[in-house]
Amino acid sequence: MPKLLETREDVELMVNQFYQKIRQDAELGYIFEEVAHIDWDLHLPKMYDFWEGILLGTANYMGRPMPPHFRLTTKYTLTPEHFDRWLHLFFENVDALFEGDIAAEAKYRAYSIATIMNQRVQQVNAQISEEN
């Protein structure tokens, strides 16, 4: 039964469940595990801080999310379909766990992030294509 998304613990649950789905996903799991070689012990706390900041107004996240994705797409071309799949899994995860305004905000923010990141990554892809 979905509940309100209200605390850091809720954010951690959302992030943990989401990335578990990602890791098991036939389309995205390979990218995270075999191409990016994500160190989950480092990555997950960054994602907790990122989403807690966006949704609960804390200022714990100090990273820059775009550069790692730009580097990744030079190794393995990230496509709009990858971002669509990421977003689908994110929405599915939030809907299974949470309801209410902050859950809706999480999905809105994820949509915005995926849209902007996809646009920027596709620009990098086009630049790589022109150079080759």
Side-chain angles (χ1 to χ4, degrees):
M1 177 93 182
K3 65 182 218 82
L4 296 178
L5 197 166
E6 302 176 297
T7 66
R8 166 81 178 203
E9 291 75 24
D10 293 336
V11 169
E12 289 181 12
L13 175 64
M14 178 187 77
V15 168
N16 288 335
Q17 294 289 332
F18 172 63
Y19 282 106
Q20 191 61 36
K21 287 178 181 289
I22 290 284
R23 293 172 82 173
Q24 295 172 351
D25 187 71
E27 193 174 336
L28 299 180
Y30 172 80
I31 297 169
F32 279 79
E33 298 289 344
E34 303 299 323
V35 180
H37 301 287
I38 297 297
D39 180 336
W40 295 104
D41 291 334
L42 293 175
H43 188 67
L44 291 174
K46 287 179 188 177
M47 295 298 93
Y48 304 152
D49 290 345
F50 178 80
W51 285 104
E52 184 185 27
I54 288 174
L55 300 174
L56 304 179
T58 62
N60 297 331
Y61 181 75
M62 299 296 167
R64 295 177 54 218
M66 289 293 190
H69 293 87
F70 296 158
R71 286 190 299 274
L72 180 59
T73 203
T74 66
K75 295 181 192 176
Y76 186 93
T77 303
L78 299 176
T79 67
E81 291 78 19
H82 291 127
F83 288 94
D84 289 346
R85 181 69 181 153
W86 181 93
L87 194 59
H88 171 79
L89 292 174
F90 191 92
F91 276 33
E92 181 179 85
N93 185 62
V94 170
D95 287 341
L97 297 171
F98 301 106
E99 62 186 4
D101 292 344
I102 297 175
E105 181 71 11
K107 293 191 303 184
Y108 170 76
R109 293 299 187 104
Y111 175 80
S112 297
I113 290 164
T115 299
I116 291 166
M117 194 167 289
N118 178 47
Q119 289 172 346
R120 300 281 311 278
V121 164
Q122 298 319 312
Q123 290 171 343
V124 171
N125 290 344
Q127 182 179 1
I128 291 168
S129 180
E130 288 175 12
E131 291 171 359
N132 293 329

